[in-house]
Amino acid sequence: MKLYFLPLALFLSFFASPAYAYIDPGMGSMWIQALIAFIAGFGVTVKIYWQKIKYFFSKDKKDVCLETKAENDNQDEYK
Amino acid sequence: MDENTRHPASFRDPAGSVFTVNNRVLRGLTTEGAKRYADVKKTGLFELLEHSNSIVQSKEINHSAINTSFVQYLEHELIPFISYPYEWPFELLKAAALHHLSIQLQALDNDVVLIDASAYNIQFKNVSPVFIDVLSFRPYQQGEFWSAHRQFCEQFLNPLLLFAIKGIPYHEWYRGAMEGISTDLLANIMPFKSWFSPKSLIHVLLPARSQQKLTEKQKNSTQGKIQTSTLPKAVYKKFLEQLHNWISGLKPRKWKSTLWENYTTNRIYQSAEVSAKQQFIAEFVSTIVPKQLWDLGCNDGEFSEIALKNGAEFVVGFDVDLAALDNAVQRARVNNLNFLPLYHQITNPSPSQGWLLKERTPILERGQPDAVIALAFIHHLALGHNLPLEEVVQWIVKIAPHGVIEFVQKSDPTVQQMLRLKGDIFPNYTEEAFKSALNGCASIIKVMTVSETGRQLYWYRKT
């Protein structure tokens, strides 16, 4: 279930308030940081999907990442 | 004390101003500045950085009102000699850049950031960098960008890259532009292979490209998106760490070894002459015991070190050979010397410049040396640059009340080498003329011949 929230979290991250700056930050510099932030966010998403795929094909299904299990458990509480 | 005594370079941040009064450096903080200072102080960052001598020592003081907008005052320790990035040899600018990034990383761990990345906010105590602007810190806001990235690149990274990648020393360009080397201009001369380097792409080529190529409409829409996007703290930190790693590995690109780089080992004159010179300087310095001594044409700092070992408290060295200056920085680091070697073209000294022509102070007004030494120096000015000998002598004597000047005879092999192609067009370059010029503004205390070719050391006192 939590995978549906990742793109949403990335989308929401583009709506935070801008920081105060008294020097001109320069658009090129800010643009590259936005790009890096996006790539980093994309990287995290890909990594999580990849772990899911690995899990799907793994022979030993008991070898579940504890973190994933714990998160799933938490989500179950809200059902 | 009033607004008129404000330091001429202290105007960028409206939250506070620096004042220099009676040899004390004070900083007035407005309500906004005092809040910012208190918020950062609460995190324990100032204590941490002061403890490691990374930032200037400061104390809160009670002071009569300088300006009604100030609600708090700080007093900072004095820096022995103010220097500017365009005077720093490569090793010092690199040390300053790494220092800035280290402070940023420590600050981020304490949820604090720097609001700017001005190289002028770093000064040197000997060859150790010290951050001097405590008002540059403010609390970190979740998800914020590094707003000073462009300034960091222009004032630290780009000049270092210019020298490391293209082999072009940055000093004259930096001094002319004052705010560093612009990313747009550097991108124009970066080699083709840098398009395949992620570091060059991220910090130079793409920022420059996006600035140049986007249309106004695209710029407006991108700006809107940037204003609402966030940078995770871990990515911010990684960004700083990668920059730190990159700069740590930079070295000046050398086309060939410079004339003076190995001067101490390759010089023409014999070691007996060197030891005679050393003894003379040792005697001079131990008699005068200067608090501050200037070494004109310091090369790799050999005689600066002799001066320091014989009682000089602090030496500022000046030279134009950048490789020799990097060796001098190394000497100061290894032997832990109170020595600051700076790049300086004596024929065109650092001027008063910037806003109202006062923002940056000329070199001669930044220190009051008690003594000056000019060894194997004046023939370069008088014969190499055609400066009138009398004016050269008067200029050196004016610097400090005591000094030693070396006079090199025209028959000396070094001078002969200098005149071989140029021809001897200097009939007035004689020891008699030199002596008469020196007698005109100083009393000669002691003269000593230090070489078979007749090199003479003149110890004088200004009259």
Side-chain angles (χ1 to χ4, degrees):
Chain A
M1 281 298 285
K2 71 181 178 118
L3 292 177
Y4 292 108
F5 292 105
L6 267 164
L8 180 67
L10 269 177
F11 177 72
L12 285 175
S13 74
F14 280 80
F15 290 93
S17 59
Y20 156 80
Y22 86 98
I23 53 163
D24 175 16
M27 213 201 60
S29 189
M30 292 289 107
W31 175 77
I32 196 82
Q33 289 181 63
L35 189 72
I36 286 170
F38 179 76
I39 292 168
F42 184 72
V44 171
T45 315
V46 168
K47 202 176 163 187
I48 289 168
Y49 272 101
W50 180 243
Q51 277 173 352
K52 281 276 164 194
I53 293 165
K54 265 200 332 199
Y55 169 69
F56 183 78
F57 287 106
S58 69
K59 287 174 190 166
D60 188 3
K61 300 272 181 187
K62 283 176 198 164
D63 184 23
V64 180
C65 169
L66 285 175
E67 195 186 324
T68 314
K69 189 174 182 295
E71 281 175 24
N72 286 341
D73 290 348
N74 286 340
Q75 282 180 5
D76 288 343
E77 286 171 20
Y78 298 103
K79 279 180 183 171
Chain B
M1 187 155 61
D2 58 22
E3 185 66 11
N4 293 329
T5 57
R6 192 194 76 210
H7 189 282
S10 180
F11 56 79
R12 285 183 176 76
D13 188 355
S17 300
V18 171
F19 298 82
T20 42
V21 179
N22 301 328
N23 218 23
R24 290 169 76 198
V25 178
L26 310 180
R27 187 188 295 267
L29 308 178
T30 63
T31 314
E32 156 70 22
K35 183 181 178 303
R36 204 193 290 168
Y37 180 75
D39 286 347
V40 175
K41 200 178 172 191
K42 257 187 278 175
T43 67
L45 179 70
F46 287 143
E47 210 179 324
L48 188 81
L49 294 175
E50 277 191 18
H51 187 70
S52 59
N53 288 320
S54 300
I55 58 167
V56 71
Q57 309 285 325
S58 315
K59 60 180 181 201
E60 288 164 40
I61 56 161
N62 288 320
H63 204 280
S64 53
I66 296 174
N67 180 317
T68 48
S69 60
F70 296 145
V71 296
Q72 191 186 351
Y73 294 94
L74 302 176
E75 180 166 4
H76 299 304
E77 68 170 314
L78 290 174
I79 299 293
F81 190 86
I82 297 296
S83 57
Y84 300 135
Y86 44 82
E87 294 158 355
W88 299 338
F90 189 90
E91 279 301 321
L92 290 188
L93 182 60
K94 179 173 156 178
L98 295 175
H99 190 67
H100 182 95
L101 292 171
S102 300
I103 285 183
Q104 281 256 57
L105 284 163
Q106 286 179 75
L108 214 48
D109 284 340
N110 288 272
D111 279 329
V112 172
V113 288
L114 285 170
I115 56 173
D116 59 6
S118 168
Y120 298 90
N121 279 347
I122 291 192
Q123 285 300 324
F124 283 89
K125 277 159 96 178
N126 311 324
V127 286
S128 304
V130 181
F131 193 87
I132 59 164
D133 187 7
V134 294
L135 258 197
S136 281
F137 295 91
R138 71 153 165 76
Y140 169 70
Q141 295 171 18
Q142 202 60 42
E144 71 172 283
F145 280 36
W146 179 17
S147 55
H149 173 250
R150 185 185 73 155
Q151 195 181 26
F152 179 86
C153 291
E154 294 189 343
Q155 304 215 353
F156 294 100
L157 178 71
N158 297 352
L160 291 172
L161 289 180
L162 186 68
F163 204 166
I165 294 177
K166 301 296 289 182
I168 302 171
Y170 45 83
H171 303 81
E172 276 79 16
W173 185 346
Y174 205 141
R175 176 167 131 178
M178 269 186 53
E179 299 303 318
I181 310 290
S182 99
T183 302
D184 291 1
L185 296 181
L186 182 70
N188 288 340
I189 55 167
M190 287 289 270
F192 179 68
K193 65 177 182 191
S194 53
W195 280 96
F196 301 97
S197 152
K199 293 173 288 195
S200 302
L201 277 174
I202 288 173
H203 298 290
V204 184
L205 300 172
L206 290 180
R209 196 80 173 175
S210 63
Q211 196 82 28
Q212 290 162 354
K213 296 284 172 184
L214 294 181
T215 62
E216 280 309 310
K217 199 179 164 192
Q218 284 170 321
K219 275 184 185 171
N220 286 338
S221 94
T222 314
Q223 262 167 358
K225 278 181 195 159
I226 288 169
Q227 275 173 354
T228 51
S229 62
T230 63
L231 182 72
K233 195 174 168 188
V235 180
Y236 193 152
K237 242 184 118 173
K238 202 79 199 157
F239 203 59
L240 296 170
E241 280 166 358
Q242 283 180 342
L243 212 39
H244 193 281
N245 285 345
W246 189 19
I247 291 173
S248 300
L250 293 179
K251 284 189 184 115
R253 180 171 178 177
K254 286 179 192 169
W255 303 104
K256 58 181 171 60
S257 115
T258 65
L259 183 60
W260 305 102
E261 188 177 0
N262 301 311
Y263 181 65
T264 310
T265 44
N266 292 351
R267 66 184 143 215
I268 299 169
Y269 55 92
Q270 302 303 308
S271 59
E273 297 170 23
V274 177
S275 55
K277 247 180 171 182
Q278 289 176 342
Q279 278 170 17
F280 192 90
I281 295 301
E283 189 192 341
F284 165 72
V285 174
S286 53
T287 309
I288 306 297
V289 198
K291 278 194 169 159
Q292 191 177 123
L293 178 142
W294 284 12
D295 183 354
L296 306 178
C298 68
N299 200 271
D300 66 1
E302 184 189 14
F303 289 97
S304 301
E305 188 173 1
I306 301 284
L308 287 162
K309 284 186 173 158
N310 285 280
E313 217 169 278
F314 173 56
V315 175
V316 189
F318 302 98
D319 211 296
V320 285
D321 190 294
L322 291 161
L325 282 167
D326 277 342
N327 289 343
V329 173
Q330 194 56 18
R331 180 192 287 271
R333 278 184 189 148
V334 172
N335 301 333
N336 200 17
L337 304 175
N338 290 337
F339 175 39
L340 178 62
L342 297 173
Y343 171 81
H344 216 102
Q345 179 63 266
I346 300 291
T347 52
N348 185 15
S350 277
S352 187
Q353 60 173 353
W355 175 238
L356 296 176
L357 283 175
K358 283 181 178 170
E359 197 181 339
R360 305 294 165 216
T361 316
I363 193 95
L364 288 173
E365 290 175 22
R366 275 183 257 153
Q368 288 181 323
D370 313 294
V372 59
I373 55 174
L375 305 177
F377 179 70
I378 60 164
H379 58 291
H380 293 290
L381 298 185
L383 305 177
H385 292 274
N386 301 22
L387 295 174
L389 183 63
E390 190 182 3
E391 284 182 24
V392 172
V393 171
Q394 285 168 350
W395 178 77
I396 294 173
V397 170
K398 221 170 129 185
I399 292 173
H402 306 275
V404 172
I405 302 177
E406 178 176 356
F407 183 80
V408 181
Q409 308 290 345
K410 226 184 229 175
S411 55
D412 192 277
T414 318
V415 173
Q416 284 301 310
Q417 213 173 344
M418 286 172 73
L419 297 177
R420 195 161 294 146
L421 288 175
K422 198 169 184 174
D424 185 0
I425 51 162
F426 306 101
N428 298 329
Y429 183 85
T430 62
E431 190 171 353
E432 273 316 301
F434 168 76
K435 239 161 89 177
S436 130
L438 191 57
N439 275 322
C441 50
S443 315
I444 296 170
I445 309 286
K446 192 174 175 179
V447 184
M448 185 184 178
T449 309
V450 287
S451 80
E452 286 168 10
T453 58
R455 287 173 176 243
Q456 307 270 12
L457 294 187
Y458 280 82
W459 170 350
Y460 65 85
R461 182 168 40 82
K462 184 161 75 172
T463 49

